Amino acid sequence: MKNIILIGMMGCGKTTISKELAQQLDWPVIDIDEYLVEKYQMTIPEMFEISEDYFREREHICCQEIARLDGYIVSTGGGVIKNPSNIDVLKQNGMIFYLDRPVELIIKDIDT
């Protein structure tokens, strides 16, 4: 069973839609950002303080680990697409859905 992978800009609805899908399909949800924070015991801002490369390398490792799972709804961080290898890895065992929401609505919903 393949995973459902949700990608898109921050605030496009990945978390909201992943929770709704989880209820309807009775599948577990993994949020890559939450997985990363738990695995490395650091916040994302703390990782970025070291460097963006440091964060992106760990994000890629998490994508590789999550791609080995079956039957999950995966909510990605907004920047996961910055590394094309992440998409390649996630695609191996998942269907990727890009959530496209108008920027005006995103700006209304997030704290900019």
Side-chain angles (χ1 to χ4, degrees), residues 10 14-15 30-40 42-44 47-48 55-56 59 62 66 74-80:
M10 176 177 57
K14 296 180 300 284
T15 300
I30 293 182
D31 180 294
I32 288 182
D33 285 347
E34 290 174 8
Y35 181 89
L36 209 148
V37 166
E38 188 174 316
K39 177 177 177 70
Y40 293 102
M42 295 175 74
T43 66
I44 292 172
M47 290 183 218
F48 266 88
F55 170 78
R56 296 293 171 202
E59 181 181 56
C62 291
I66 289 168
V74 180
S75 178
T76 65
V80 77

Side-chain angles (χ1 to χ4, degrees), residues 5 7 15 19 36 40 43 71 73 97 107:
I5 316 293
I7 65 171
T15 300
K19 290 176 183 175
L36 209 148
Y40 293 102
T43 66
I73 298 163
F97 294 90
I107 290 171

Side-chain angles (χ1 to χ4, degrees), residues 9-10 15 17 28-29 36 40 64 66 95 98-99 109-110:
M9 289 177 56
M10 176 177 57
T15 300
I17 291 172
V29 174
L36 209 148
Y40 293 102
Q64 291 173 317
I66 289 168
M95 294 184 63
Y98 171 66
L99 303 183
D109 286 350
I110 63 171

Side-chain angles (χ1 to χ4, degrees), residues 32-93:
I32 288 182
D33 285 347
E34 290 174 8
Y35 181 89
L36 209 148
V37 166
E38 188 174 316
K39 177 177 177 70
Y40 293 102
Q41 295 297 295
M42 295 175 74
T43 66
I44 292 172
E46 288 171 338
M47 290 183 218
F48 266 88
E49 280 180 29
I50 295 169
S51 74
E52 183 174 353
D53 286 343
Y54 179 87
F55 170 78
R56 296 293 171 202
E57 288 167 6
R58 274 134 197 86
E59 181 181 56
H60 182 66
I61 291 166
C62 291
C63 287
Q64 291 173 317
E65 292 174 0
I66 289 168
R68 292 185 198 114
L69 303 174
D70 292 312
Y72 280 80
I73 298 163
V74 180
S75 178
T76 65
V80 77
I81 62 168
K82 290 182 95 173
N83 180 351
S85 298
N86 290 336
I87 300 305
D88 293 340
V89 166
L90 292 168
K91 229 191 264 188
Q92 290 173 0
N93 192 36

